[in-house]
Amino acid sequence: MTPDTRSAALQARLLLLLLLAPALLWLLGLIVLPHVELALLSLRSRVAPRVYEFSLRQFGTFFGEPLYWHTFVRTAVISIVATACTLLLAFPIAWTVAKLARGRQRALLFMLCMIPFWVSETVRTLGWTILLRESGVLPALLVWAGLTPAPPELLYHDATILVGLVYTSLLFMVVPLIGALDSLDDSLIEAAYNLGGSGPSILRRIVIPHAAPGIVAGCIVVFMLTLGNYLTPTLLGGKNSLWFTEQIYTQFITRFNWEQGAAFGFLLLILSTLIVWLGLKLSGQRFGDVMRRT
Amino acid sequence: MSFEVARGSFFSILGPSGCGKTTLLRMIAGFTEPDAGDIVIGGRSMRGVAPNRRPVNMVFQHLALFPMMNVGENVAYGLTQRGVARAEIIRRVGQMLERVGLTGAQAKRVDQLSGGQKQRVAIARSLVLEPTLLLLDEPLGALDLKLREHMKIELKQLQAAFGTTFVYITHDQSEALVLSDQVAVMNRGGFEQLGSPQALYYEPKTPFVAGFVGANNRFAGRATAVDGGRVTLASDAGLVLHARASDRIAVGDAVEAFVRPEIASLARDEAELPADLPRYRGQVESLLFDGASSAVLLREAVSQSEIRIALPQTGRFADLRVGESVAFGFDPQRAVCFAAPA
C-alpha cells in the first residue's frame, strides 16, 4: 500500500465515522446511558433515607407477587397472539398490493393503509372507544338489528385490546411484507403452478420461504411495538387490562418506586429479547438477513 | 389461426417481439384463456382446464428455478405435487439428472450452477413429469452467444433423446432454423407462414417471411414486365432486376423483390460471370468480415442502391478493398418477388 492510498483509506474511514456520529451519539445518549442508570437503580434498595445498598429485592418482589409475573406472562401471550393476528390480516393485504394491484391502484391501496397513521394514536384509539362503548355506535347497531336486547359493553375485554393492537400494528407488518412479496418473481409462482402445484402448496413451498425474512422482520417490529405499547391497552382495556407497561408506569409515577420500575423495565427488555431470539431460532432466520429486509 | 403440431416433433414459433407469440404460448400452458377457439392436446380439449392440470410443462424465459430449493428438490417438485412415493421420486430424479448430464447434482444450490446447467435443470424439472408437450419460452435469450450456440445443439439432442414434443418460441431466426422440424413465422398476432426451415428460407410466402428469416436484400419498385413466372422490377432509383413471382402480379403493380446475399456471384471482371445472367456493376462500400458469413456491401453503379453480397469461402476476394469496382449477377429464378403489401 502506498502512503497515498493509505491516507485515502484513512480519510474514508474518518468520513464514515463522521456520518455515523449522530446515530452513535443518539444511541449512546438516549439508549445506553439511561439503561446503565436504570440497571444501577434496579439493583439497589433504600435502607435508610438517602442510604442505598446493593440488593436483588426488586426482582424478588416480581417473582414473589403473583400479580406482577401474571401480568408479565399475560402481556407476552397477548402480544404474541396480536402479532400472529396482524400477520394473518396483513398477508392478504400485502399480497394484493404487491402482486395483484397495478400502477395507480397500487399507490391508492398503499395510501389506504397509510391514512389512519396520519391521525395521532391517541385520537385513533379514542375513535375505537367511541365505536365500542356501551352507548357507542356498534352496540346501538346491534340492538337496532335485533341481535341483543340491551347494548352490550364491548370495551374492556381482552378481545378489544387485541383488536386495537392489531389495528395499530398493521402498517408495520404490511410494509416489510410488501417488500418481501414484491421481490418474488411472478414466474416462480407460474412455474410451480405449471409443474402441478396447488395454491396451498405454492404458498407453503415457494411464497413463504421467499418472504420469510420479511415476515420475521414484520413480526419482530410488531411484537416489540405491541409489548411496549401503553396507550392502546390502557384506553381499550381500562383498569383490568393488566398490561406490563402499566405496572412500570405505576411504579415510576404513582408509587414513586423508581427501583421497582427500573427492575420491571429490565425484565421487559429481557423478555422481548428472549422471545425475538426464540422466534428467529424457530423460523431458522438469521438476524442480519431479517434486518436487511426491514 | 389454426395449426397442428405432430407428436414428437420440434415446433418453433418465430416472430419479432410483441407479435403475440408469448401470449400464444401462455394460452397453451393455460395461464391465459383464449377468447374464442380451442386448444386440443393429445385429443383432449383444454378449455377450462387449469394450468396445473394440463399435460403441458413450460421452461420459462428466465428459467424460474426455485432458489429456495436445491437442484434435487427443484426436479422433484412436480412429482411431490403428484403424490409420488418418496423412494420413487428419489429414483426418478436421479435418473433424470443423469440423462441431462448432471449426475449427482441433487444437493447443489441453484446459484452454484452455470447458465447451461441451470437450463438443463429447468428442462429436467419439466421432463421428469413426462409431459405430452414441453413449451420453451425463449430459454436461450439470457445466455451469452457462445453458450447459446452450445445449448442450441444440446436442446436438439435432448429433444431427439426424449422424443417429447417441443414447442419453442423465439425471436432468433437462427435458433428456429437450426432446431426445428417445423417453424411458424408469426407477425402481428397471426401466422405468416408455417413450414419446414428449408421451405421458409427458400420459398417464403410473404414479404415479411422473406425479410425476417435469414439475411435478404429488399428492393421496392413497380413491375414493368411480367413473363410467366418472371417479373421485371424497376425501382424508383432506376435499378432494373428480374425475379421469380411468388404471387399474381400484373404490369404496373407495386412490388417488392428479395435477393439473398449468397445467391449473387461476384467477379472483378464481368466476363467471369455466367453469360446468361443479368449483370450489374457496383462499388465496394464496406467490407463486413464475419468469418464464414463475411459479406461485402456494394453500391450499384446506375441506381446507387445498396446490396449485400456474401463473399465466397474460397478466399478469392480476400484482398478486396473499399472503393474497388466489381461486377455481380444473380439467377432471377432464385430471387423472389411479391406484390407490395397495401
Side-chain angles (χ1 to χ4, degrees):
Chain A
M1 216 195 275
T2 66
D4 247 12
T5 58
R6 197 175 308 160
S7 83
L10 192 72
Q11 227 168 17
R13 263 246 219 55
L14 265 173
L15 192 69
L16 186 71
L17 210 66
L18 214 63
L19 285 169
L20 280 175
L24 288 174
L25 275 177
W26 176 72
L27 207 67
L28 186 77
L30 292 172
I31 314 277
V32 179
L33 286 181
H35 270 86
V36 169
E37 175 70 17
L38 277 179
L40 292 175
L41 265 177
S42 71
L43 289 172
R44 69 177 198 187
S45 78
R46 204 171 69 128
V47 285
R50 297 184 179 244
V51 182
Y52 299 94
E53 66 177 22
F54 173 83
S55 142
L56 287 170
R57 208 180 70 194
Q58 275 75 241
F59 293 92
T61 313
F62 171 78
F63 289 105
E65 182 67 63
L67 174 72
Y68 292 147
W69 61 261
H70 206 196
T71 310
F72 190 69
V73 172
R74 180 185 142 81
T75 306
V77 170
I78 295 186
S79 294
I80 291 170
V81 173
T83 307
C85 290
T86 311
L87 176 62
L88 287 180
L89 204 66
F91 199 87
I93 298 174
W95 182 266
T96 311
V97 174
K99 289 290 167 210
L100 305 178
R102 293 274 166 268
R104 274 178 65 90
Q105 207 183 12
R106 192 189 152 106
L108 196 79
L109 278 173
F110 196 64
M111 274 279 285
L112 281 179
C113 294
M114 282 282 279
I115 283 173
F117 288 82
W118 287 357
V119 179
S120 113
E121 197 188 346
T122 319
V123 178
R124 248 184 300 139
T125 314
L126 284 170
W128 277 107
T129 337
I130 292 167
L131 280 176
L132 297 177
R133 73 196 156 129
E134 204 177 346
S135 55
V137 180
L138 203 60
L141 264 174
L142 288 176
V143 172
W144 177 80
L147 291 171
T148 53
E153 177 57 88
L154 296 177
L155 282 178
Y156 318 127
H157 298 293
D158 287 356
T160 319
I161 301 178
L162 208 59
V163 167
L165 288 174
V166 169
Y167 175 71
T168 318
S169 318
L170 206 55
L171 185 72
F172 301 97
M173 186 67 91
V174 167
V175 170
L177 278 184
I178 289 177
L181 292 175
D182 231 4
S183 65
L184 175 64
D185 187 354
D186 287 353
S187 68
L188 288 184
I189 299 167
E190 284 185 344
Y193 200 28
N194 179 265
L195 291 168
S198 58
S201 98
I202 294 173
L203 186 69
R204 191 172 59 82
R205 295 205 53 195
I206 313 289
V207 178
I208 291 179
H210 176 89
I215 293 173
V216 174
C219 285
I220 289 178
V221 172
V222 167
F223 177 75
M224 286 178 167
L225 283 176
T226 308
L227 198 70
N229 199 328
Y230 175 75
L231 195 73
T232 309
T234 314
L235 284 182
L236 295 181
K239 282 265 177 254
N240 42 12
S241 69
L242 291 178
W243 206 253
F244 200 66
T245 45
E246 282 171 11
Q247 301 287 355
I248 300 176
Y249 180 87
T250 311
Q251 294 302 332
F252 271 104
I253 308 296
T254 318
R255 300 271 183 83
F256 216 68
N257 187 349
W258 281 40
E259 287 77 15
Q260 192 61 60
F264 283 178
F266 253 86
L267 285 165
L268 196 64
L269 180 69
I270 292 166
L271 177 72
S272 69
T273 313
L274 209 69
I275 292 180
V276 167
W277 176 81
L278 210 68
L280 285 169
K281 277 281 158 278
L282 285 177
S283 62
Q285 294 296 317
R286 292 218 316 275
F287 191 67
D289 291 345
V290 170
M291 284 303 113
R292 238 175 293 144
R293 291 298 189 93
T294 14
Chain B
M1 173 192 301
S2 174
F3 66 102
E4 275 184 32
V5 180
R7 194 179 283 267
S9 66
F10 198 120
F11 185 89
S12 289
I13 299 166
L14 171 67
S17 40
C19 75
K21 53 191 193 302
T22 300
T23 310
L24 180 61
L25 202 73
R26 291 177 63 84
M27 279 184 196
I28 302 174
F31 294 126
T32 313
E33 259 315 292
D35 294 331
D38 199 1
I39 293 160
V40 178
I41 300 167
R44 235 175 90 218
S45 166
M46 288 295 127
R47 282 221 84 125
V49 180
N52 55 353
R53 308 227 168 277
R54 295 190 181 200
V56 171
N57 290 118
M58 184 156 162
V59 175
F60 285 74
Q61 191 160 13
H62 300 289
L63 306 179
L65 294 179
F66 305 133
M68 58 290 282
M69 303 180 198
N70 63 26
V71 170
E73 288 166 338
N74 261 284
V75 179
Y77 181 82
L79 294 173
T80 321
Q81 293 308 312
R82 284 190 184 172
V84 178
R86 255 187 84 77
E88 173 71 4
I89 291 178
I90 292 170
R91 192 183 64 79
R92 276 165 74 177
V93 167
Q95 221 170 41
M96 181 50 67
L97 285 175
E98 210 168 293
R99 286 183 79 177
V100 298
L102 287 169
T103 312
Q106 279 92 334
K108 276 198 178 166
R109 283 202 322 274
V110 169
D111 55 21
Q112 286 175 313
L113 302 178
S114 70
Q117 288 171 328
K118 279 184 190 160
Q119 180 95 45
R120 279 182 262 166
V121 172
I123 292 171
R125 185 174 77 171
S126 295
L127 287 182
V128 78
L129 298 172
E130 292 164 359
T132 313
L133 197 61
L134 183 72
L135 306 174
L136 299 106
D137 182 5
E138 306 203 28
L140 305 185
L143 304 180
D144 59 62
L145 184 70
K146 199 83 186 162
L147 191 58
R148 201 155 66 213
E149 291 302 315
H150 176 73
M151 286 310 296
K152 243 193 266 184
I153 299 164
E154 214 170 279
L155 263 180
K156 200 174 167 89
Q157 286 167 344
L158 273 174
Q159 196 267 337
F162 283 91
T164 309
T165 315
F166 276 36
V167 172
Y168 185 94
I169 72 167
T170 180
H171 62 263
D172 183 323
Q173 44 105 4
S174 121
E175 280 174 26
L177 295 181
V178 169
L179 290 168
S180 322
D181 299 314
Q182 291 277 303
V183 180
V185 179
M186 201 167 169
N187 187 30
R188 294 189 190 164
F191 279 176
E192 292 269 336
Q193 186 175 354
L194 197 159
S196 67
Q198 289 81 357
L200 292 179
Y201 194 84
Y202 292 116
E203 288 147 32
K205 291 273 185 288
T206 68
F208 178 80
V209 176
F212 195 71
V213 179
N216 233 331
N217 293 293
R218 175 179 169 277
F219 301 99
R222 295 212 166 266
T224 53
V226 181
D227 167 24
R230 192 166 149 161
V231 181
T232 306
L233 171 149
S235 78
D236 295 339
L239 180 73
V240 176
L241 56 84
H242 311 282
R244 173 171 57 87
S246 168
D247 33 25
R248 292 179 64 85
I249 290 166
V251 172
D253 283 355
V255 290
E256 279 178 311
F258 290 90
V259 180
R260 293 232 178 257
E262 71 272 17
I263 69 164
S265 20
L266 209 58
R268 285 215 159 86
D269 182 2
E270 234 169 285
E272 289 172 34
L273 292 171
D276 55 336
L277 293 188
R279 295 169 195 172
Y280 305 89
R281 285 210 73 83
Q283 208 172 25
V284 176
E285 176 105 337
S286 51
L287 292 159
L288 312 168
F289 179 77
D290 184 16
S293 46
S294 298
V296 59
L297 211 57
L298 298 180
R299 202 164 277 286
E300 200 268 331
V302 182
S303 65
Q304 300 296 309
S305 321
E306 218 169 54
I307 180 164
R308 180 190 173 118
I309 293 175
L311 286 172
Q313 289 305 295
T314 52
R316 202 151 59 87
F317 294 98
D319 56 347
L320 208 59
R321 291 285 164 266
V322 172
E324 219 174 302
S325 173
V326 288
F328 66 93
F330 60 88
D331 178 2
Q333 269 318 110
R334 297 179 68 189
V336 61
C337 184
F338 300 94

